[in-house]
Amino acid sequence: MAQYTVTAFRWSGTGYNAQYNTSYTAVITDDDAYLNGNGDSNETVSIDGGPSYVTNGAPYDINVSFTDTSGTPHVETFYFFNVNNSWYFIPGPGSAFTEGATLGSYQSHTTAPTLYSTITCFVRGTLIETQNGLMPVEMLRPGTMVRTSDGSFKPLRLPMSRKIRPAELRANPKLAPVRIVAGALGNGLPKRDLLVSRQHRMLVSSKICERMFGQTNVLLAAHQLTVLPGIFEDNTQEDVEYFHLVFDRHEVIFAEGAPTESFFPGPEAIKAMPAEARAEILAIFPQIQTWGFVPEPAFQIPTGKLQRKLVARHLKNNRPLL
């Protein structure tokens, strides 16, 4: 049995021409790769950690117009399913449909079973902004031009990945990812749920940063953000694959629309890498082995204590991180 965690919206009233201000975390458990409904006893859904219900009836893939939070119109496919006599829908990969978006009018639909890979996003499948549009992280190759925080596109030097097996996750729960629910950072970001490792840093950009550090932008580890609504350690994953994107220097790039760091070659990160990956990094960047080498971060990385203080001030003042 596999689990698929998605952001869903509850179909309310007539559903069309309505604004949706509340999203839900739906955990779908299934024994195959398809959302096929029809009372499949192996296909169950839990909404926001509640009881698990068997999906009912045929699911619908419905093409619908909608307007995102910036007022831009779209037509996209949404994936509808029924649990406990309520209909929910899931936006497709890379969708701009987030909390606050307004669903428009029906266009067309099908009732064929839908592959979960077309509607879910785990660590593998995270969409990265490139010169050729949004690309799943596992599709990036050396030389891919990736958008960075200065507005330019930089060539990727090396993509690396590591798969964490179920036994490793059970033995070390800290290897589980942090889930950042769509919109949890503020300003509608990330556009879809984003999963990163605990130590992976997200950019925080706010007036509170400016008052504390004299600059608008700083980088905070994902696990420091878990006291905030919609950000939590996700222990539902059976396994997880982490991707590291290495550039000529530390960069801030965009994953699911949210600003986040590329691989930072600090001593702890290098030490934690498997021997083969470490050798590859050191072959490309031999300066890392130079005595006294200190990598330069794209933006300031405060100490853990100051990171916690910054997050606490955002929480107390109910201010978004972006």
Side-chain angles (χ1 to χ4, degrees):
M1 301 290 280
Q3 284 190 331
Y4 307 89
T5 304
V6 297
T7 297
F9 295 81
R10 186 173 181 175
W11 179 258
S12 56
T14 61
Y16 297 117
N17 300 308
Q19 187 178 54
Y20 285 80
N21 295 312
T22 303
S23 62
Y24 303 86
T25 298
V27 179
I28 307 172
T29 303
D30 203 354
D31 64 344
D32 62 28
Y34 290 89
L35 179 65
N36 46 24
N38 292 312
D40 181 352
S41 61
N42 291 313
E43 188 176 277
T44 62
V45 181
S46 170
I47 303 294
D48 278 354
S52 293
Y53 295 97
V54 173
T55 54
N56 296 315
Y60 290 83
D61 295 0
I62 303 180
N63 294 323
V64 186
S65 66
F66 76 93
T67 304
D68 65 26
T69 54
S70 66
T72 304
H74 305 261
V75 175
E76 291 180 3
T77 302
F78 295 82
Y79 304 89
F80 285 69
F81 61 94
N82 188 290
V83 291
N84 195 29
N85 298 316
S86 293
W87 282 97
Y88 294 83
F89 64 88
I90 306 166
S95 176
F97 193 95
T98 58
E99 288 186 22
T102 300
L103 210 61
S105 60
Y106 165 92
Q107 306 292 312
S108 61
H109 78 275
T110 66
T111 57
T114 301
L115 273 170
Y116 285 118
S117 61
T118 66
I119 61 176
T120 62
C121 175
F122 297 97
V123 177
R124 167 177 281 273
T126 298
L127 296 177
I128 305 296
E129 292 189 35
T130 77
Q131 199 167 41
N132 296 316
L134 297 173
M135 292 179 64
V137 66
E138 68 272 16
M139 298 298 291
L140 301 184
R141 298 292 181 266
T144 299
M145 301 299 288
V146 177
R147 181 190 168 208
T148 61
S149 58
D150 64 4
S152 65
F153 293 88
K154 306 284 177 57
L156 177 65
R157 285 293 300 272
L158 178 68
M160 299 184 298
S161 67
R162 182 194 174 196
K163 192 163 187 176
I164 309 297
R165 303 293 179 180
E168 289 182 273
L169 285 175
R170 289 193 296 270
N172 186 359
K174 289 188 176 182
L175 293 175
V178 170
R179 178 178 293 275
I180 304 173
V181 172
L185 297 174
N187 199 28
L189 298 174
K191 294 179 180 179
R192 298 191 304 163
D193 285 16
L194 174 63
L195 282 86
V196 297
S197 63
R198 281 173 51 86
Q199 298 297 339
H200 191 92
R201 299 179 186 93
M202 304 299 300
L203 189 75
V204 174
S205 180
S206 71
K207 292 290 186 182
I208 297 177
C209 287
E210 194 169 351
R211 287 193 292 269
M212 284 186 63
F213 304 107
Q215 53 189 283
T216 305
N217 303 308
V218 296
L219 289 161
L220 269 61
H223 73 91
Q224 302 284 16
L225 309 179
T226 55
V227 296
L228 300 171
I231 305 177
F232 55 92
E233 293 181 10
D234 190 340
N235 297 307
T236 65
Q237 307 301 309
E238 293 188 356
D239 55 28
V240 62
E241 188 170 11
Y242 290 121
F243 286 80
H244 305 291
L245 303 179
V246 183
F247 294 82
D248 286 332
R249 53 155 290 171
H250 191 224
E251 299 285 357
V252 165
I253 61 174
F254 296 87
E256 304 298 352
T260 185
E261 70 172 345
S262 66
F263 178 76
F264 183 65
E268 292 303 315
I270 297 295
K271 185 170 63 176
M273 298 176 72
E276 185 177 348
R278 187 186 311 120
E280 190 170 11
I281 284 287
L282 295 177
I284 296 175
F285 303 104
Q287 66 270 29
I288 292 175
Q289 300 178 87
T290 305
W291 184 85
F293 171 76
V294 178
E296 182 180 352
F299 292 97
Q300 182 179 346
I301 302 173
T303 64
K305 182 178 180 180
L306 287 175
Q307 290 188 38
R308 289 188 291 274
K309 183 177 180 181
L310 174 62
V311 173
R313 289 182 64 173
H314 275 270
L315 186 62
K316 179 180 178 181
N317 292 286
N318 193 27
R319 291 289 186 267
L321 298 180
L322 295 172

